[in-house]
């Protein structure tokens, strides 16, 4: 399979990147991040999650944040919604152009993360997807632990494919395959991607790799050779999941853009502005910038 000509980048830093930050991040800083991402010509941004504030305190301002988002028709804002309650809140703000439900290929992780099993989670999504469709919003379906689970260890590829098929049949127009703990390696990622491609087309299938073991860019490279066209990433490599202990941030968007440039794959992003954004948010959070390309560029 040859490399794709273009890759669609989905920026998840305001949600996945910030959800694990121990100190509250101000609304102003979150909006500053989103504004700078848009200035770097990022076209899709997952801005928050309408989850229970007790489970993820950092996203307690989801409604306020969405209400304050600038009306920018060039950027598609999306948010996580775990259930009908979250969906009502997401619809109220009127700024979102996509919502995302989330489950996993691991039973144990699903229970820790959303307090129910995989089957029950899918049942919960039915009315959520119906509400989104009635409002004309497309729905992404996340599947976590596609390359391993912090509680169950190995996760069979057949289970990832099965959950993928179910989410597509329920009406998700896009899936995002999460290596939540960042444990996968390239040949494993390639085999998993290949298996899911049996039930989904490349434009429907995002890769969402965390970088705990430093394999995320290599894993993406392997999947690009399988024709992958959609990549989730987080500026400055921010992030982690509160329910996957030890998991570090998503692959850094700057590193992905640098990789794509090297491969001659178009993406539409302004790398220098993106690197400046990564440096800015790292300073705001008092963190070291986790993007290697970003650090090299801002020197
Ligand atoms: P639950 O406790 O089972 O919910 O939580 P419940 O339905 O039993 O309701 C209990 C109470 O919560 C009720 O309030 C509800 O109204 C309230 P009470 O009557 O007791 O006053 N409630 C809510 N409040 C606000 N917003 C809501 C909501 N729903 C119910 N949406 C629930 C279930 C799903 C809500 C909870 O487990 C939760 O919020 N989990 C969020 C977990 C999360 O956000 N994890 C991180 C994101 S996933 C991730 O990072 C992976 C990903 O990046 C991909 C990858 O890397 O693999 C996506
Ligand atoms: Mg994630």
């Amino acid at each position: 399979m040859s490399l794709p000509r273009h890759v669609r980048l989905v920026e998840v830093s305001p949600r996945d990147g910030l959800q694990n930050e121990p100190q509250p991040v101000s609304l102003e800083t979150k909006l500053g991040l989103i504004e700078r991402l848009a200035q770097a010509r990022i076209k899709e941004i997952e801005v928050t999650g309408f989850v229970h504030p007790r489970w993820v305190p950092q996203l307690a301002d989801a409604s306020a944040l969405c209400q304050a988002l600038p009306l920018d028709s060039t950027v598609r804002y999306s948010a996580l919604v775990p259930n009908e309650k979250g969906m009502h809140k997401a619809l109220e703000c009127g700024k979102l152009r996509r919502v995302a439900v989330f489950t996993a290929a691991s039973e144990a992780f699903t229970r820790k993360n959303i307090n129910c099993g995989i089957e029950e989670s899918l049942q919960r999504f039915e009315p959520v997807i119906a509400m989104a469709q009635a409002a004309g919003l497309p729905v992404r379906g996340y599947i976590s632990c596609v390359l391993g689970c912090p509680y169950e260890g190995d996760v069979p590829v057949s289970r990832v494919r099965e959950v993928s098929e179910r989410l597509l049949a329920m009406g998700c127009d896009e899936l995002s395959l999460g290596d939540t703990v960042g444990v996968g390696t390239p040949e494993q990622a390639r085999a998993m991607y290949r298996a899911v491609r049996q039930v989904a087309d490349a434009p429907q299938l995002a890769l969402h790799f965390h970088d705990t073991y430093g394999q995320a860019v290599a894993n993406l490279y392997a999947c690009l050779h399988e024709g992958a066209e959609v990549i989730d990433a987080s500026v400055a490599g921010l992030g982690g999941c509160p329910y996957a202990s030890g998991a570090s941030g998503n692959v850094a968007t700057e590193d992905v853009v640098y990789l794509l440039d090297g491969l001659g794959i178009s993406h539409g992003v302004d790398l220098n502005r993106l690197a400046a954004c990564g440096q800015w948010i790292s300073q705001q959070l008092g963190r070291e910038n986790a993007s290697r390309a970003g650090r090299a560029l801002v020197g």
Side-chain angles (χ1 to χ4, degrees):
M1 176 82 68
S2 57
L3 291 168
R5 286 204 187 152
H6 180 80
V7 157
R8 186 155 68 77
L9 288 168
V10 180
E11 175 67 33
V12 296
S13 55
R15 193 278 304 171
D16 206 346
L18 297 183
Q19 71 185 10
N20 215 21
E21 277 300 310
Q23 299 305 324
V25 179
S26 72
L27 195 56
E28 193 189 351
T29 301
K30 291 178 182 179
L31 290 166
L33 170 61
I34 293 165
E35 189 187 341
R36 282 167 176 80
L37 290 168
Q39 283 166 356
R41 296 204 293 273
I42 295 275
K43 296 292 172 216
E44 297 190 45
I45 309 178
E46 191 172 83
V47 292
T48 189
F50 290 88
V51 295
H52 197 303
R54 204 168 49 229
W55 286 65
V56 185
Q58 188 62 254
L59 303 186
D61 61 0
S63 293
L65 177 103
C66 284
Q67 268 147 25
L69 285 172
L71 279 170
D72 183 341
S73 59
T74 67
V75 179
R76 175 151 79 165
Y77 301 125
S78 65
L80 285 190
V81 290
N83 54 17
E84 283 178 87
K85 180 153 188 167
M87 188 66 199
H88 278 293
K89 292 184 181 191
L91 287 175
E92 259 165 34
C93 75
K95 299 269 181 62
L96 300 173
R97 288 166 59 200
R98 181 190 277 289
V99 289
V101 294
F102 52 111
T103 185
S106 144
E107 198 63 33
F109 179 80
T110 313
R111 288 194 183 282
K112 298 266 187 201
N113 195 37
I114 51 175
N115 204 21
C116 65
I118 299 172
E119 190 57 45
E120 194 186 337
S121 74
L122 296 174
Q123 282 164 22
R124 272 191 200 173
F125 298 157
E126 268 175 23
V128 176
I129 294 172
M131 285 168 75
Q133 285 172 340
L137 294 180
V139 184
R140 160 181 271 215
Y142 275 104
I143 306 171
S144 289
C145 301
V146 298
L147 298 177
C149 168
Y151 311 103
E152 288 180 10
D154 290 345
V155 172
V157 157
S158 56
R159 194 153 354 121
V160 181
R161 189 175 45 210
E162 211 175 286
V163 178
S164 300
E165 263 186 302
R166 292 284 301 279
L167 286 169
L168 289 171
M170 287 171 67
C172 290
D173 75 312
E174 177 177 277
L175 302 175
S176 178
L177 302 170
D179 181 10
T180 319
V181 259
V183 289
T185 51
E187 287 311 316
Q188 191 195 358
R190 184 200 297 272
M192 184 278 300
Y193 183 77
R194 216 182 249 172
V196 182
R197 277 295 303 279
Q198 290 168 0
V199 299
D201 297 329
Q204 292 181 294
L205 216 48
L207 299 165
H208 179 106
F209 292 163
H210 286 255
D211 201 27
T212 317
Y213 284 83
Q215 303 294 297
V217 167
N219 293 346
L220 290 174
Y221 182 66
C223 294
L224 285 167
H225 279 281
E226 292 296 317
E229 292 180 20
V230 191
I231 294 176
D232 294 358
S234 175
V235 76
L238 296 175
C241 177
Y243 299 101
S245 142
S248 72
N250 297 82
V251 66
T253 318
E254 301 91 312
D255 297 0
V256 176
V257 168
Y258 189 81
L259 170 74
L260 296 176
D261 279 341
L263 295 171
I265 299 172
S266 68
H267 47 73
V269 173
D270 179 330
L271 180 55
N272 286 319
R273 281 192 177 176
L274 186 68
C277 170
Q279 190 64 9
W280 177 82
I281 189 66
S282 301
Q283 281 164 356
Q284 295 295 311
L285 300 176
R287 284 186 167 274
E288 195 191 352
N289 186 342
S291 166
R292 302 287 290 267
R295 288 207 303 269
L297 283 163
V298 297

